[in-house]
Amino acid sequence: DAGVIQSPRHEVTEMGQEVTLRCKPISGHNSLFWYRQTMMRGLELLIYFNNNVPIDDSGMPEDRFSAKMPNASFSTLKIQPSEPRDSAVYFCASSRGPGQGSWGYTFGSGTRLTVV
Amino acid sequence: SQQGEEDPQALSIQEGENATMNCSYKTSINNLQWYRQNSGRGLVHLILIRSNEREKHSGRLRVTLDTSKKSSSLLITASRAADTASYFCATVEVGGSNYKLTFGKGTLLTVNP
């Protein structure tokens, strides 16, 4: 298994531009999570999906952020418009169920986003 | 919000020594997990301990859980330079979503050769 695949690995964009981050979870994993990591705030859960359905998006910081999971093998996190304070490493993780909290997560390698 | 708080924030030891990292949390938990993150990489799941367990081993790793004190420790024995990484504890809360892991801010471990 190739693990959780994220793209791109690095993204540098200008303020105001739209940014789309992509994630392919491990086949057979029912849950998908988007986290953001910064030095100041650590790892923050943005949103998670179970069986492609968003369960909790309370961590999404603003309406500028949106996430979709059109099928079991693909998810996107979009920021529109992007701002410098969105600069962070964004991680996607997946986990299998039932009782997903009883299993470890598998993380992707992350996307390092820099908004200038 | 942070659930787990790791202690110390940073730890530097010599190869061959044991490393102990601690984690405290605030609410009742279903389970607690430890992850490792190498610089510039994603997190790697190390070990999971359930709330009804007190100790668990995996290779050179030993995890303890004290639910009365709401704390856990991760011991790495006979450390190696390759163990240099950040280590995070994460919890799944009782009564909350069974899917949701909340991470602490981590302990940066440096193992000097």
Side-chain angles (χ1 to χ4, degrees):
Chain A
D1 197 324
V4 176
I5 300 172
Q6 290 187 247
S7 64
R9 285 298 309 274
H10 303 274
E11 176 81 29
V12 180
T13 190
E14 291 185 346
M15 184 173 62
Q17 296 298 307
E18 177 181 294
V19 175
T20 300
L21 311 181
R22 296 173 177 79
C23 174
K24 176 178 168 53
I26 290 176
S27 178
H29 280 193
N30 296 337
S31 295
L32 182 140
F33 309 83
W34 283 100
Y35 280 84
R36 178 172 69 175
Q37 186 177 36
T38 61
M39 288 295 293
M40 289 296 295
R41 300 173 68 91
L43 274 158
E44 301 174 280
L45 177 63
L46 301 178
I47 185 171
Y48 66 94
F49 297 83
N50 185 50
N51 293 324
N52 312 337
V53 176
I55 303 299
D56 184 348
D57 65 355
S58 60
M60 297 284 262
E62 299 172 32
D63 291 345
R64 298 183 296 106
F65 286 69
S66 63
K68 294 182 180 179
M69 192 165 185
N71 57 62
S73 59
F74 184 66
S75 177
T76 60
L77 178 67
K78 185 176 293 186
I79 308 173
Q80 165 64 20
S82 57
E83 297 182 3
R85 60 194 168 117
D86 301 331
S87 296
V89 181
Y90 290 80
F91 287 103
C92 176
S94 68
S95 180
R96 56 179 170 171
Q100 286 88 337
S102 298
W103 302 93
Y105 290 7
T106 302
F107 278 78
S109 297
T111 294
R112 181 174 294 277
L113 173 66
T114 303
V115 183
V116 298
Chain B
S1 62
Q2 300 295 331
Q3 160 74 315
E5 293 287 337
E6 290 88 344
D7 169 57
Q9 290 187 327
L11 178 62
S12 182
I13 60 174
Q14 295 299 122
E15 210 166 23
E17 293 180 340
N18 295 341
T20 299
M21 288 158 274
N22 303 297
C23 170
S24 59
Y25 55 91
K26 298 173 184 173
T27 63
S28 296
I29 61 171
N30 178 287
N31 66 73
L32 184 145
Q33 305 178 26
W34 285 91
Y35 287 78
R36 182 186 75 230
Q37 184 179 33
N38 290 89
S39 180
R41 307 296 297 272
L43 282 78
V44 174
H45 179 254
L46 295 176
I47 196 166
L48 181 153
I49 186 166
R50 303 182 195 285
S51 60
N52 61 350
E53 297 175 312
R54 292 295 168 260
E55 188 171 312
K56 205 160 184 179
H57 297 256
S58 177
R60 294 184 294 115
L61 305 180
R62 172 178 170 253
V63 170
T64 62
L65 179 64
D66 187 335
T67 53
S68 66
K69 295 181 180 178
K70 292 186 168 57
S71 67
S72 173
S73 68
L74 171 67
L75 169 68
I76 304 174
T77 60
S79 64
R80 306 166 182 168
D83 295 328
T84 295
S86 291
Y87 291 82
F88 295 85
C89 69
T91 53
V92 176
E93 297 178 30
V94 169
S97 167
N98 198 30
Y99 310 103
K100 187 175 176 178
L101 266 182
T102 305
F103 286 84
K105 287 198 172 182
T107 292
L108 175 60
L109 172 66
T110 302
V111 182
N112 301 299

